[in-house]
Amino acid sequence: GKDDVVVLPKFDATGKPLPLSYVTEMSDQERATRDRKVHLSKKEDLAKGERAKYFADDDNTSLEQMVREEKMNKGYDFEDNAVDNIGKKRRGPIQNVFAEEEEYGAGLSNSLKTFESRDKRMKIDQLETKARQQQINAHHQTENIHSRDRFNLENPRFPKHALIAVATRTYLMLQTTGRLVDGHCLIVPQTLAVSSTQCDEDTLDEIRNFKKSLIRMFDAVNKECVFYETAMNLNKMPHTYIECIPLPRKLAANAPMFFKQAMRECEDEWEAQNKQLIDTRGVKKLASKVPKHMPFFSVEFGLGGGFAHVIENERDFKKSFGMDIMAGILKVSSEIIRRQRSSIADERQLTEAFVESYKPYDWTAAIQ
């Protein structure tokens, strides 16, 4: 059959820049200089009583090239290089590499090599081959992630009948599985993000706009919104979403107490280090309270903030933690709710009713 032409990505699945651009942007003169091995003149060093250079390419790396390397994430990440080199050579713990007697002289040269990227000792054709393979691997990884991403709008299996409103970077949809109440909906970033703490400012602004509009809509029928997010197993690249549960005012008044108590109990039972319940009241950005690459659970009551907790033990922390608490507030069985499935026809009818109620508050209409 006819081969497909694929444009290889410049970023991996996590958004980290791949190094091919850095390699291919080098001039012929830079390539020739890069391939030329630089040897230190020991006699000259000893005669002057000083070291002429520390790394092999000190003389043939310009400031412009160093800036380009740094921009392409190929700069001098000394800690990563040390871990990479030590792991490659199986030389044991990092502290054993730097014996006290090697602080000066030849020992220093060997120690400094530990912090030098092994890529810098490769010829340019090897670097290009390695970079090309990284792009191919990134392409396959991205394709695999997108194909199983149930929140990808381009996924053929995405339930488009449950779509309520689409903005530039986010969208609002009806919850199709484990729907606790009528109006249970999801705010979802369009681009894959494993948690809201890793979303950019524009995406966070749109999420906040959806929250504002939902609060206004449900306020008109004497209900208040509880928003929660569960960010777990981040290494598996899950697509995050924020759940919105509308509650009658009387139940909503007790929701903070229920969540606070349940989160403290789970800390006492499962967690060893992160026992502090994070208070997010008055906090605009959750990332200012929760480490960017850590799994967490957070809950927000309206736009007034709420609580968050860094998940230390993902094995014991239930993905359904938020749903279980909400089910307790509503006095329904979360197990039964999880097993319930509605037909596409019913979901389409619920979505149409939601869209009609949401129309006066739909802020996305202005950007269509």
Side-chain angles (χ1 to χ4, degrees):
K2 187 177 179 181
D3 294 334
D4 293 330
V5 177
V6 177
V7 178
L8 294 177
K10 291 185 178 181
F11 301 88
D12 65 15
T14 63
K16 184 177 180 180
L18 293 167
L20 188 64
S21 297
Y22 143 70
V23 175
T24 55
E25 285 178 3
M26 296 178 69
S27 65
D28 292 339
Q29 183 178 359
E30 286 176 322
R31 291 168 184 264
T33 306
R34 181 67 179 268
D35 286 343
R36 191 182 307 119
K37 292 184 178 180
V38 180
H39 299 284
L40 297 176
S41 175
K42 294 183 180 180
K43 292 182 180 180
E44 183 180 350
D45 292 346
L46 292 173
K48 291 182 178 180
E50 61 184 21
R51 179 171 295 280
K53 56 182 72 66
Y54 289 98
F55 294 123
D57 66 345
D58 279 357
D59 289 337
N60 52 324
T61 303
S62 65
L63 177 61
E64 182 181 356
Q65 185 177 339
M66 290 171 65
V67 171
R68 184 166 66 237
E69 289 180 5
E70 188 62 36
K71 286 183 177 179
M72 289 306 300
N73 228 19
K74 290 289 291 180
Y76 306 107
D77 195 334
F78 297 132
E79 292 184 5
D80 285 351
N81 292 340
V83 171
D84 185 38
N85 284 320
I86 292 169
K88 186 73 175 179
K89 296 179 180 179
R90 301 174 183 272
R91 292 173 60 180
I94 188 168
Q95 60 266 27
N96 293 337
V97 176
F98 309 103
E100 194 170 322
E101 61 269 22
E102 289 187 348
E103 186 175 358
Y104 301 100
L108 179 61
S109 177
N110 292 332
S111 296
L112 286 170
K113 285 180 180 178
T114 305
F115 290 100
E116 184 179 12
S117 170
R118 285 188 286 117
D119 285 359
K120 294 167 74 67
R121 300 191 287 272
M122 297 171 66
K123 290 185 179 293
I124 196 67
D125 59 337
Q126 293 175 311
L127 282 170
E128 288 182 328
T129 300
K130 179 181 178 180
R132 177 69 62 181
Q133 189 58 50
Q134 283 181 310
Q135 284 193 306
I136 293 172
N137 293 342
H139 170 71
H140 290 318
Q141 182 186 17
T142 302
E143 287 291 304
N144 181 47
I145 290 172
H146 285 175
S147 66
R148 58 183 173 83
D149 180 9
R150 67 188 182 100
F151 292 111
N152 181 3
L153 289 173
E154 297 179 359
N155 190 328
R157 293 177 293 178
F158 178 80
K160 292 184 178 180
H161 64 275
L163 204 55
I164 297 167
V166 180
T168 305
R169 290 175 170 81
T170 56
Y171 63 85
L172 180 68
M173 67 174 291
L174 190 76
Q175 172 66 292
T176 56
T177 59
R179 190 168 53 255
L180 284 162
V181 293
D182 288 343
H184 186 169
C185 55
L186 311 177
I187 305 170
V188 190
Q190 290 188 32
T191 302
L192 191 151
V194 297
S195 71
S196 62
T197 59
Q198 298 190 25
C199 292
D200 59 32
E201 293 291 340
D202 291 334
T203 302
L204 292 176
D205 285 343
E206 290 194 2
I207 290 173
R208 191 171 180 83
N209 285 341
F210 271 124
K211 287 180 178 179
K212 288 179 181 178
S213 61
L214 290 169
I215 289 171
R216 291 174 59 206
M217 183 183 81
F218 287 114
D219 180 68
V221 290
N222 296 315
K223 291 183 179 181
E224 297 182 12
C225 295
V226 177
F227 303 99
Y228 62 86
E229 177 184 9
T230 309
M232 295 177 61
N233 303 312
L234 307 188
N235 60 316
K236 295 182 180 179
M237 299 298 292
H239 197 140
T240 195
Y241 53 89
I242 293 91
E243 299 192 50
C244 171
I245 313 291
L247 292 177
R249 295 196 192 280
K250 287 185 179 180
L251 293 181
N254 295 324
M257 178 188 66
F258 273 91
F259 274 95
K260 189 174 184 179
Q261 181 179 350
M263 292 169 79
R264 280 184 170 168
E265 286 177 356
C266 84
E267 288 173 345
D268 294 336
E269 183 178 355
W270 300 326
E271 309 294 317
Q273 300 296 328
N274 298 302
K275 287 184 176 296
Q276 184 180 5
L277 187 68
I278 301 171
D279 192 333
T280 62
R281 287 173 294 184
V283 175
K284 187 175 181 181
K285 286 183 62 177
L286 186 61
S288 65
K289 289 284 189 176
V290 176
K292 190 173 182 180
H293 300 288
M294 292 291 288
F296 66 88
F297 173 83
S298 69
V299 60
E300 186 177 15
F301 311 102
L303 288 176
F307 308 110
H309 174 65
V310 174
I311 300 171
E312 179 186 338
N313 191 341
E314 292 187 85
R315 184 178 302 173
D316 292 331
F317 195 95
K318 291 183 178 180
K319 177 75 173 177
S320 61
F321 180 77
M323 181 182 185
D324 292 341
I325 298 174
M326 291 300 306
I329 295 173
L330 293 164
K331 296 182 180 180
V332 297
S333 170
S334 60
E335 291 294 332
I336 293 176
I337 295 293
R338 273 196 293 272
R339 289 196 298 266
Q340 285 180 347
R341 293 293 183 272
S342 53
S343 67
I344 292 179
D346 288 341
E347 290 172 358
R348 183 176 285 111
Q349 187 175 358
L350 287 170
T351 303
E352 290 173 355
F354 195 116
V355 169
E356 191 63 30
S357 299
Y358 185 66
K359 194 173 293 183
Y361 311 95
D362 186 4
W363 66 276
T364 66
I367 61 175
Q368 299 299 329

